[in-house]
Coordinates of all heavy atoms in Angstrom, one line a residue:
H1 N -48.4 146.6 150.0 CA -47.7 147.0 148.8 C -48.6 147.9 147.9 O -49.7 147.5 147.6 CB -47.2 145.8 148.0 CG -46.3 144.9 148.8 ND1 -44.9 145.1 149.0 CD2 -46.6 143.8 149.5 CE1 -44.5 144.2 149.7 NE2 -45.5 143.3 150.1
K2 N -48.1 149.0 147.5 CA -48.8 149.9 146.6 C -48.2 149.8 145.2 O -47.0 150.2 145.0 CB -48.8 151.3 147.1 CG -49.7 151.6 148.3 CD -49.9 153.0 148.7 CE -50.8 153.2 149.9 NZ -50.9 154.6 150.3
V3 N -48.8 149.3 144.2 CA -48.4 149.1 142.9 C -49.4 149.4 141.9 O -50.6 149.4 142.1 CB -47.9 147.5 142.7 CG1 -46.7 147.2 143.5 CG2 -49.1 146.6 143.0
T4 N -49.0 149.7 140.6 CA -49.9 149.9 139.5 C -50.3 148.7 138.9 O -49.7 147.6 138.9 CB -49.4 150.9 138.6 OG1 -48.3 150.2 137.8 CG2 -48.8 152.2 139.2
L5 N -51.5 148.7 138.2 CA -52.0 147.6 137.5 C -50.9 147.2 136.3 O -50.7 146.1 136.0 CB -53.3 148.0 136.8 CG -54.5 148.0 137.7 CD1 -55.8 148.4 136.9 CD2 -54.7 146.6 138.4
G6 N -50.3 148.3 135.8 CA -49.3 148.0 134.7 C -48.1 147.3 135.3 O -47.6 146.4 134.6
E7 N -47.6 147.7 136.4 CA -46.5 146.9 137.1 C -46.9 145.5 137.4 O -46.0 144.6 137.1 CB -46.1 147.6 138.4 CG -45.4 148.9 138.2 CD -45.3 149.8 139.5 OE1 -46.1 149.5 140.4 OE2 -44.3 150.5 139.6
I8 N -48.1 145.2 137.8 CA -48.5 143.9 138.0 C -48.5 143.1 136.8 O -48.0 141.9 136.7 CB -49.9 143.8 138.7 CG1 -49.9 144.5 140.1 CG2 -50.5 142.4 138.8 CD1 -51.3 144.7 140.6
V9 N -49.1 143.6 135.7 CA -49.2 142.9 134.5 C -47.8 142.6 133.9 O -47.5 141.5 133.3 CB -50.1 143.6 133.5 CG1 -50.0 143.0 132.1 CG2 -51.5 143.6 134.0
N10 N -46.9 143.6 133.9 CA -45.6 143.4 133.4 C -44.8 142.3 134.1 O -44.1 141.5 133.5 CB -44.7 144.7 133.5 CG -45.2 145.8 132.6 OD1 -46.0 145.5 131.6 ND2 -44.8 147.1 132.9
L11 N -44.9 142.2 135.4 CA -44.3 141.2 136.2 C -44.9 139.8 135.8 O -44.2 138.8 135.6 CB -44.5 141.4 137.7 CG -43.6 142.4 138.3 CD1 -44.0 142.7 139.8 CD2 -42.1 141.8 138.3
L12 N -46.3 139.8 135.7 CA -46.8 138.4 135.3 C -46.5 138.0 134.0 O -46.2 136.8 133.7 CB -48.3 138.6 135.5 CG -48.9 138.7 136.9 CD1 -50.4 139.0 136.9 CD2 -48.6 137.5 137.7
E13 N -46.3 138.9 133.0 CA -45.9 138.5 131.7 C -44.4 138.0 131.7 O -44.1 137.0 131.1 CB -46.0 139.7 130.8 CG -47.4 140.1 130.4 CD -48.1 139.1 129.5 OE1 -47.4 138.2 129.1 OE2 -49.3 139.2 129.3
S14 N -43.6 138.6 132.5 CA -42.2 138.0 132.6 C -42.2 136.7 133.3 O -41.5 135.8 132.9 CB -41.3 139.0 133.5 OG -41.7 139.0 134.9
F15 N -43.1 136.5 134.3 CA -43.3 135.1 134.9 C -43.7 134.1 133.8 O -43.2 133.0 133.8 CB -44.2 135.1 136.0 CG -43.9 136.1 137.2 CD1 -44.9 136.4 138.0 CD2 -42.6 136.6 137.3 CE1 -44.6 137.4 139.0 CE2 -42.3 137.5 138.3 CZ -43.4 137.9 139.2
R16 N -44.6 134.5 132.9 CA -45.2 133.6 132.0 C -44.1 133.1 131.0 O -44.1 132.0 130.6 CB -46.3 134.3 131.2 CG -47.0 133.4 130.2 CD -48.3 134.0 129.8 NE -48.1 135.1 129.0 CZ -48.1 135.2 127.6 NH1 -48.0 134.1 126.9 NH2 -47.9 136.3 127.0
H17 N -43.2 134.0 130.7 CA -42.2 133.7 129.7 C -40.9 133.1 130.3 O -40.1 132.7 129.5 CB -41.8 135.0 128.9 CG -42.8 135.7 128.1 ND1 -43.4 135.0 127.1 CD2 -43.4 136.9 128.2 CE1 -44.3 135.8 126.5 NE2 -44.3 136.9 127.2
Q18 N -40.9 132.9 131.6 CA -39.7 132.4 132.2 C -39.3 131.0 131.7 O -38.1 130.7 131.5 CB -39.9 132.3 133.8 CG -38.7 132.0 134.5 CD -38.3 130.5 134.6 OE1 -39.2 129.7 134.7 NE2 -37.0 130.2 134.7
P19 N -40.2 130.1 131.4 CA -39.9 128.7 130.9 C -39.1 128.9 129.5 O -38.3 128.0 129.1 CB -41.1 128.0 130.7 CG -42.0 128.6 131.8 CD -41.7 130.0 131.8
T20 N -39.3 130.0 128.8 CA -38.7 130.2 127.5 C -37.4 130.9 127.7 O -36.4 130.6 127.1 CB -39.6 130.9 126.6 OG1 -40.9 130.2 126.4 CG2 -38.9 131.2 125.2
T21 N -37.4 132.0 128.4 CA -36.2 132.8 128.6 C -35.3 132.3 129.7 O -34.1 132.6 129.7 CB -36.6 134.3 129.0 OG1 -37.2 134.3 130.3 CG2 -37.6 134.8 128.1
L22 N -35.8 131.5 130.6 CA -35.1 130.9 131.7 C -34.7 132.0 132.7 O -33.9 131.8 133.7 CB -33.9 130.1 131.4 CG -34.1 128.9 130.5 CD1 -32.8 128.1 130.2 CD2 -35.1 128.0 131.0
L23 N -35.1 133.3 132.5 CA -34.8 134.3 133.3 C -35.7 134.5 134.6 O -36.9 134.7 134.4 CB -34.9 135.7 132.4 CG -34.4 136.9 133.2 CD1 -32.9 136.9 133.5 CD2 -34.7 138.2 132.4
I24 N -35.1 134.4 135.7 CA -35.8 134.6 136.9 C -35.8 136.1 137.3 O -34.6 136.7 137.4 CB -35.1 133.8 138.1 CG1 -35.1 132.3 137.9 CG2 -35.9 134.1 139.4 CD1 -36.5 131.7 137.8
P25 N -36.9 136.8 137.4 CA -36.9 138.2 137.7 C -36.3 138.5 139.0 O -36.2 137.6 139.9 CB -38.4 138.6 137.5 CG -39.1 137.4 137.8 CD -38.2 136.2 137.3
E26 N -36.0 139.8 139.3 CA -35.5 140.3 140.6 C -36.6 140.0 141.6 O -37.7 140.5 141.5 CB -35.2 141.7 140.5 CG -34.0 142.0 139.6 CD -32.7 141.6 140.1 OE1 -32.6 141.3 141.3 OE2 -31.7 141.4 139.3
I27 N -36.4 139.2 142.6 CA -37.4 138.9 143.6 C -36.7 139.0 145.0 O -36.4 138.0 145.7 CB -38.0 137.5 143.4 CG1 -36.9 136.4 143.1 CG2 -39.0 137.4 142.3 CD1 -37.5 135.1 143.0
A28 N -36.5 140.3 145.3 CA -35.8 140.5 146.7 C -36.7 140.0 147.8 O -38.0 139.9 147.7 CB -35.6 142.0 146.8
S29 N -36.0 139.8 148.9 CA -36.7 139.3 150.1 C -37.9 140.2 150.5 O -37.8 141.4 150.5 CB -35.7 139.1 151.3 OG -36.4 138.8 152.5
N30 N -39.0 139.6 150.7 CA -40.2 140.4 151.2 C -40.8 141.3 150.1 O -41.6 142.1 150.5 CB -40.0 141.0 152.6 CG -41.3 141.1 153.4 OD1 -42.1 140.3 153.3 ND2 -41.4 142.2 154.1
S31 N -40.2 141.2 148.9 CA -40.7 142.2 147.9 C -42.1 141.8 147.4 O -42.6 140.6 147.4 CB -39.7 142.2 146.7 OG -39.7 141.0 146.1
F32 N -42.8 142.7 146.7 CA -44.0 142.4 146.0 C -43.8 141.3 144.9 O -44.6 140.5 144.8 CB -44.7 143.7 145.5 CG -45.9 143.4 144.7 CD1 -47.0 143.0 145.3 CD2 -45.8 143.6 143.3 CE1 -48.2 142.7 144.5 CE2 -46.9 143.3 142.5 CZ -48.1 142.9 143.1
A33 N -42.7 141.5 144.2 CA -42.5 140.6 143.1 C -42.4 139.2 143.6 O -42.9 138.2 143.0 CB -41.1 141.0 142.4
K34 N -41.6 138.9 144.7 CA -41.5 137.6 145.3 C -42.8 137.1 145.6 O -43.2 135.9 145.3 CB -40.7 137.6 146.5 CG -40.5 136.3 147.2 CD -39.7 136.5 148.4 CE -39.6 135.1 149.2 NZ -38.8 135.2 150.5
K35 N -43.8 137.8 146.2 CA -45.1 137.4 146.7 C -46.0 137.2 145.5 O -46.8 136.2 145.4 CB -45.7 138.4 147.7 CG -44.9 138.5 148.9 CD -45.3 139.7 149.8 CE -44.3 139.9 151.0 NZ -44.7 141.1 151.8
L36 N -45.9 138.0 144.5 CA -46.6 137.8 143.3 C -46.2 136.6 142.5 O -47.1 135.8 142.0 CB -46.5 139.1 142.4 CG -47.4 139.0 141.1 CD1 -48.9 139.1 141.5 CD2 -47.1 140.2 140.2
Y37 N -44.9 136.3 142.4 CA -44.5 135.1 141.8 C -45.0 133.8 142.4 O -45.5 132.9 141.7 CB -42.9 135.1 141.7 CG -42.3 134.3 140.6 CD1 -40.9 134.4 140.3 CD2 -43.1 133.4 139.8 CE1 -40.4 133.7 139.3 CE2 -42.5 132.7 138.8 CZ -41.2 132.9 138.5 OH -40.6 132.2 137.5
S38 N -45.0 133.8 143.8 CA -45.5 132.6 144.4 C -47.0 132.5 144.2 O -47.5 131.4 144.0 CB -45.3 132.8 145.9 OG -43.9 132.8 146.3
T39 N -47.7 133.6 144.1 CA -49.1 133.6 143.8 C -49.4 133.1 142.4 O -50.2 132.2 142.2 CB -49.7 135.0 144.0 OG1 -49.5 135.5 145.3 CG2 -51.2 135.0 143.7
Y40 N -48.6 133.6 141.5 CA -48.8 133.2 140.0 C -48.6 131.7 139.9 O -49.4 131.0 139.2 CB -47.8 134.0 139.2 CG -47.6 133.4 137.8 CD1 -48.6 133.7 136.8 CD2 -46.5 132.6 137.5 CE1 -48.4 133.2 135.5 CE2 -46.4 132.1 136.2 CZ -47.3 132.4 135.2 OH -47.1 131.8 134.0
L41 N -47.5 131.1 140.5 CA -47.2 129.7 140.4 C -48.4 128.8 140.9 O -48.6 127.7 140.4 CB -45.9 129.4 141.1 CG -44.7 130.0 140.5 CD1 -43.5 129.7 141.4 CD2 -44.5 129.3 139.1
S42 N -49.1 129.3 141.9 CA -50.2 128.5 142.4 C -51.3 128.4 141.5 O -52.2 127.5 141.7 CB -50.7 129.2 143.7 OG -51.5 130.4 143.5
Y43 N -51.4 129.1 140.4 CA -52.5 129.1 139.3 C -52.1 128.3 138.1 O -52.9 128.1 137.2 CB -52.9 130.5 139.0 CG -53.6 131.2 140.0 CD1 -53.0 132.0 140.9 CD2 -55.1 131.1 140.2 CE1 -53.6 132.7 142.0 CE2 -55.7 131.7 141.2 CZ -55.0 132.6 142.1 OH -55.7 133.2 143.1
L44 N -50.8 127.8 138.0 CA -50.4 127.1 136.9 C -51.2 125.8 136.7 O -51.4 125.1 137.6 CB -48.9 126.7 137.0 CG -47.9 127.8 136.7 CD1 -46.5 127.3 136.9 CD2 -48.0 128.4 135.4
P45 N -51.7 125.5 135.5 CA -52.3 124.2 135.2 C -51.2 123.1 135.2 O -50.0 123.3 135.1 CB -52.9 124.4 133.8 CG -52.0 125.4 133.2 CD -51.5 126.4 134.3
A46 N -51.7 121.8 135.4 CA -50.8 120.8 135.6 C -49.9 120.6 134.4 O -48.6 120.3 134.6 CB -51.5 119.4 135.7
E47 N -50.3 120.9 133.2 CA -49.5 120.7 132.0 C -48.4 121.8 131.9 O -47.5 121.6 131.0 CB -50.4 120.8 130.7 CG -51.1 122.0 130.4 CD -52.4 122.1 131.0 OE1 -52.7 121.2 132.0 OE2 -53.3 122.9 130.6

């Protein structure tokens, strides 16, 4: 996947706000967003 740093950060910020907005971003099958979301979740602290 070829993506810009800005696109990565924007997606990660939307993931971070998901518990507040309850909005699940577009995560099409085999998309970069889907893979990044899985990666992001693996770094969540227990709390």
